[in-house]
Amino acid sequence: MKDRQALPALLQGRTVIVGLGLMGASLAKGIKDLSAAAFVAGLDRKEQPIFRGLEEKVLDQGAVLSTQEDSVRSLIQEATLIILSMYPDGILDFVSRYRETFSEGTVLMDICGLKGFFLEEAQRILPEGVEFVGTHPMAGKEKSGYEYGNGEIFLGANFVITPTLHNRRETLDQVRAMARELGFGRIREVEPREHDEVIAYTSHMPHALAAALVNSWLGTEDVISFAGGSFRDVTRVADINSALWAQLFCYNSQALSGELRRFSEILDELAQMVEQKDRPQIEAFLTQAAERKERWNREGDRYDDGSRTR
Amino acid sequence: MKDRQALPALLQGRTVIVGLGLMGASLAKGIKDLSAAAFVAGLDRKEQPIFRGLEEKVLDQGAVLSTQEDSVRSLIQEATLIILSMYPDGILDFVSRYRETFSEGTVLMDICGLKGFFLEEAQRILPEGVEFVGTHPMAGKEKSGYEYGNGEIFLGANFVITPTLHNRRETLDQVRAMARELGFGRIREVEPREHDEVIAYTSHMPHALAAALVNSWLGTEDVISFAGGSFRDVTRVADINSALWAQLFCYNSQALSGELRRFSEILDELAQMVEQKDRPQIEAFLTQAAERKERWNREGDRYDDGSRTR
């Protein structure tokens, strides 16, 4: 077993994870996989995931938000790292509520899939000496909840850090080292607004398209008998956490609606080619996609081969 | 090793596979996996896959179309089952070219992903006593070519048979038994035109959406660093055989362009909800998709557990 001192700097103190859903539980489990000596406490609105975490020794301590406020505040106060693993709605609430409780030197890190709308605001609310780092671990599952949490979902996945002017280089490097240790693959730093624009394309669009394709079925035939791998893959993420994603879509309203409009224009162009049975144009359209996709696959593979740490 | 007599009736004679690409090779390999005693011959326009097939004992005999016409004709003449595993364009050409060569009692079976435009025509061209059965094995890979062929791609996959008035019940049952033996899961019979309409949704749409999403990227950022599982899944099939799929899209012009137009309307509605940050409506949209997808998953799972034959 690894000593606590062998852990990345950010995990050597007291880590508190707020929100023990899929991602929070996966982080807790991933950290404990690195070393059972790591200190990990959990906060949640529900008792159930905390009990499970304590039973499974994924958590060393835990407290229920609202009903066990004394324990909550003392865990927060003593924390060196607080990972906010909750819906976007909850992040600013949490930061405001406990702004007087955080100790100087504590690092807050969120893992929300959107950044632009709250990073500056969070830092503005926090007292000096409490740093807030925005991150976006690009891992997940169709399922939500503590029981589906698993540190292995991070292996080789992308990890994006969105620094602001309030962040210190040292802290960003520590976050990077922690992500590397947890098994993430490509780790990038990018400006928060730019992150949100790219994410509208790489994350929100696939979810929107999957949901729209599922919703667009009007027939009476039993779809499942006619579904091949392409249908299963494209619709996989339609089994979505709709409350969470409705929030994300709204917070990223401008970038996402732009992508949606542009996509539907491209689809209209394709529909016209198909209507006119314009085979050369359709083939050119598909060839462009195939070449680009193949290049992306190669870039992804090259990376995957070299950089996993476990 | 299984005796030839233990094979499904349709495979007990001389099987000739025309076109040794991914699907043709997978069928040849799948049949030989059932029994090395099965007779399988291969025809192709190129020498290479035939050499490979003979070397690997996936083929017992082979001949190159056009350049070895004597051998081609004798293999066709003696065949009891001919599996047409070529692009849609080639099927009617082949049937016309060899119409005098087929022997009475020979079954022709195509595996093309579209049916409506040629099944009646093929049967019209063929002499009496030569039956043509339309099938659509819903298995595949992003890659094409003999070397990627593998009988395991069929395991649990859907198999659709599209009978016409020219087909005999006995032949359809034999085709069904063969598909079952090759490991296919759900096997359905459906009228050819209905097949094409459903397929526009379950197969052509996922491919069109994947290609359009890849093509819609305008940014300069390195997409791969921001891609999670959702992006990889939704775009997987963008690495497409563009010549084949341009044919399929054109042959299914009416159904597919209708689906594309309808989908882009749904996307415009979603774009409007997102523009207006109408969270309840977005959530309802996503919930509808999630519920439907979960139901389909359950139906798929229930099936997968019970019906695989190997």
Side-chain angles (χ1 to χ4, degrees):
Chain A
M1 191 181 82
K2 252 185 192 164
D3 283 349
R4 203 153 148 184
Q5 282 71 29
L7 286 169
L10 214 51
L11 297 175
Q12 287 180 15
R14 293 171 63 92
T15 301
V16 175
I17 296 177
V18 190
L20 296 167
L22 173 74
M23 290 298 289
S26 297
L27 282 164
K29 292 172 185 179
I31 294 169
K32 283 292 190 181
D33 286 345
L34 292 180
S35 165
F39 177 90
V40 181
L43 305 179
D44 200 282
R45 283 178 306 178
K46 290 178 300 212
E47 292 170 356
Q48 185 60 18
I50 296 173
F51 286 153
R52 290 286 301 276
L54 291 168
E55 281 165 15
E56 296 176 359
K57 297 192 168 37
V58 167
L59 299 179
D60 298 290
Q61 288 184 39
V64 181
L65 291 161
S66 304
T67 62
Q68 300 183 312
E69 275 302 301
D70 289 349
S71 310
V72 167
R73 286 189 187 269
S74 100
L75 281 170
I76 290 175
Q77 202 159 27
E78 293 165 23
T80 46
L81 171 67
I82 299 176
I83 301 178
L84 304 174
S85 174
M86 61 245 283
Y87 284 17
D89 269 356
I91 293 174
L92 288 180
D93 285 351
F94 183 89
V95 169
S96 310
R97 182 174 186 127
Y98 299 107
R99 67 178 299 272
E100 307 294 346
T101 314
F102 303 117
S103 299
E104 190 166 337
T106 298
V107 172
L108 271 72
M109 174 186 129
D110 87 298
I111 59 160
C112 173
L114 274 176
K115 297 303 170 197
F117 71 97
F118 72 85
L119 277 188
E120 291 290 330
E121 180 67 9
Q123 198 62 65
R124 203 187 54 74
I125 296 169
L126 288 168
E128 209 164 333
V130 179
E131 191 170 346
F132 192 105
V133 186
T135 77
H136 182 187
M138 304 205 59
K141 268 190 193 175
E142 306 90 280
K143 297 296 177 184
S144 51
Y146 175 91
E147 58 273 31
Y148 295 103
N150 185 336
E152 299 200 345
I153 67 173
F154 304 137
L155 300 185
N158 289 320
F159 189 90
V160 181
I161 305 172
T162 54
T164 67
L165 295 173
H166 299 287
N167 289 126
R168 292 177 311 140
R169 184 70 254 163
E170 189 194 350
T171 314
L172 298 174
D173 288 342
Q174 287 179 348
V175 167
R176 185 183 276 270
M178 178 181 70
R180 181 72 65 199
E181 199 69 20
L182 286 169
F184 284 93
R186 195 176 294 209
I187 300 169
R188 285 284 310 272
E189 288 179 24
V190 68
E191 201 265 316
R193 300 229 164 249
E194 186 175 1
H195 164 272
D196 291 0
E197 279 165 24
V198 181
I199 251 31
Y201 173 73
T202 60
S203 170
H204 300 175
M205 281 298 287
H207 286 84
L209 295 181
L213 183 59
V214 167
N215 282 348
S216 80
W217 174 242
L218 295 179
T220 53
E221 258 300 344
D222 158 27
V223 167
I224 297 302
S225 297
F226 295 86
S230 63
F231 186 76
R232 280 191 291 272
D233 280 1
V234 173
T235 60
R236 180 181 63 87
V237 290
D239 189 2
I240 203 170
N241 179 335
S242 50
L244 169 61
W245 284 85
Q247 285 187 27
L248 293 172
F249 282 13
C250 286
Y251 283 125
N252 210 18
S253 165
Q254 204 184 337
L256 177 57
S257 58
E259 288 288 341
L260 286 165
R261 296 280 186 208
R262 206 156 52 72
F263 186 88
S264 106
E265 279 166 28
I266 291 179
L267 228 51
D268 283 337
E269 286 167 27
L270 181 59
Q272 197 176 336
M273 297 177 208
V274 172
E275 255 159 28
Q276 295 169 350
K277 304 187 187 182
D278 185 341
R279 204 191 274 194
Q281 271 223 60
I282 298 172
E283 193 170 332
F285 184 92
L286 298 178
T287 300
Q288 186 196 345
E291 286 173 357
R292 200 176 254 200
K293 174 65 177 161
E294 213 181 319
R295 197 173 66 245
W296 289 347
N297 285 348
R298 276 198 308 273
E299 286 168 17
D301 288 346
R302 190 169 58 237
Y303 183 71
D304 282 349
D305 290 336
S307 302
R308 294 194 187 176
T309 56
R310 60 174 205 189
Chain B
M1 191 180 81
K2 250 185 194 166
D3 282 348
R4 205 154 148 185
Q5 282 72 30
L7 287 168
L10 214 50
L11 297 174
Q12 287 179 15
R14 293 171 64 92
T15 301
V16 174
I17 298 178
V18 189
L20 295 167
L22 173 74
M23 292 297 288
S26 298
L27 284 164
K29 292 172 184 178
I31 293 169
K32 282 293 189 180
D33 287 346
L34 291 180
S35 165
F39 177 91
V40 180
L43 305 180
D44 201 283
R45 282 179 305 177
K46 290 179 299 212
E47 291 170 358
Q48 185 59 18
I50 296 174
F51 286 153
R52 290 285 301 276
L54 291 169
E55 280 165 15
E56 297 176 358
K57 296 193 169 36
V58 166
L59 298 180
D60 298 289
Q61 289 182 39
V64 181
L65 291 161
S66 301
T67 62
Q68 300 183 313
E69 275 302 301
D70 288 351
S71 309
V72 167
R73 284 189 189 269
S74 101
L75 282 170
I76 290 176
Q77 201 159 28
E78 292 165 24
T80 46
L81 171 66
I82 299 175
I83 302 178
L84 303 173
S85 175
M86 60 245 284
Y87 284 17
D89 270 357
I91 294 174
L92 288 182
D93 286 351
F94 183 90
V95 169
S96 309
R97 181 175 186 126
Y98 299 105
R99 68 179 299 272
E100 307 295 346
T101 315
F102 303 118
S103 299
E104 189 165 340
T106 298
V107 171
L108 272 71
M109 175 185 129
D110 86 296
I111 59 160
C112 171
L114 275 175
K115 297 303 171 197
F117 71 97
F118 73 87
L119 277 189
E120 291 289 330
E121 181 65 9
Q123 197 65 63
R124 204 186 52 73
I125 296 169
L126 288 168
E128 210 164 333
V130 179
E131 190 169 347
F132 191 106
V133 186
T135 76
H136 182 187
M138 302 204 62
K141 269 191 193 175
E142 306 89 281
K143 297 297 179 183
S144 49
Y146 175 91
E147 57 273 31
Y148 295 103
N150 185 337
E152 299 199 346
I153 66 174
F154 305 136
L155 301 184
N158 288 320
F159 189 90
V160 180
I161 305 172
T162 54
T164 67
L165 295 174
H166 300 287
N167 290 124
R168 293 177 311 142
R169 185 70 252 163
E170 190 194 348
T171 313
L172 297 173
D173 288 342
Q174 286 180 347
V175 168
R176 184 183 276 270
M178 178 181 70
R180 181 73 66 198
E181 198 70 18
L182 285 170
F184 283 93
R186 195 175 293 208
I187 300 169
R188 286 284 310 271
E189 287 178 26
V190 67
E191 202 265 316
R193 300 229 163 249
E194 186 175 1
H195 165 273
D196 291 358
E197 279 164 26
V198 181
I199 252 29
Y201 173 73
T202 60
S203 170
H204 300 175
M205 280 299 286
H207 286 83
L209 296 181
L213 183 58
V214 167
N215 282 348
S216 79
W217 175 241
L218 295 179
T220 52
E221 259 297 345
D222 159 27
V223 167
I224 297 302
S225 297
F226 295 86
S230 64
F231 186 75
R232 279 192 291 272
D233 279 1
V234 173
T235 60
R236 180 181 63 87
V237 290
D239 189 2
I240 202 171
N241 179 335
S242 50
L244 169 62
W245 285 84
Q247 285 187 27
L248 293 171
F249 282 13
C250 286
Y251 283 125
N252 211 18
S253 165
Q254 203 184 336
L256 177 57
S257 57
E259 288 289 341
L260 285 166
R261 296 279 188 208
R262 206 156 51 71
F263 187 88
S264 105
E265 279 167 28
I266 291 180
L267 227 52
D268 284 335
E269 286 167 28
L270 180 60
Q272 196 176 338
M273 296 178 208
V274 172
E275 256 159 27
Q276 295 170 350
K277 303 186 186 184
D278 185 341
R279 203 190 276 194
Q281 270 223 62
I282 298 172
E283 193 170 334
F285 183 92
L286 299 178
T287 300
Q288 187 196 345
E291 286 173 358
R292 199 177 255 203
K293 174 65 178 162
E294 213 181 319
R295 196 171 68 244
W296 289 348
N297 285 349
R298 276 199 307 274
E299 286 169 17
D301 288 346
R302 189 167 61 236
Y303 183 70
D304 282 348
D305 291 338
S307 301
R308 295 194 187 177
T309 54
R310 60 174 206 190

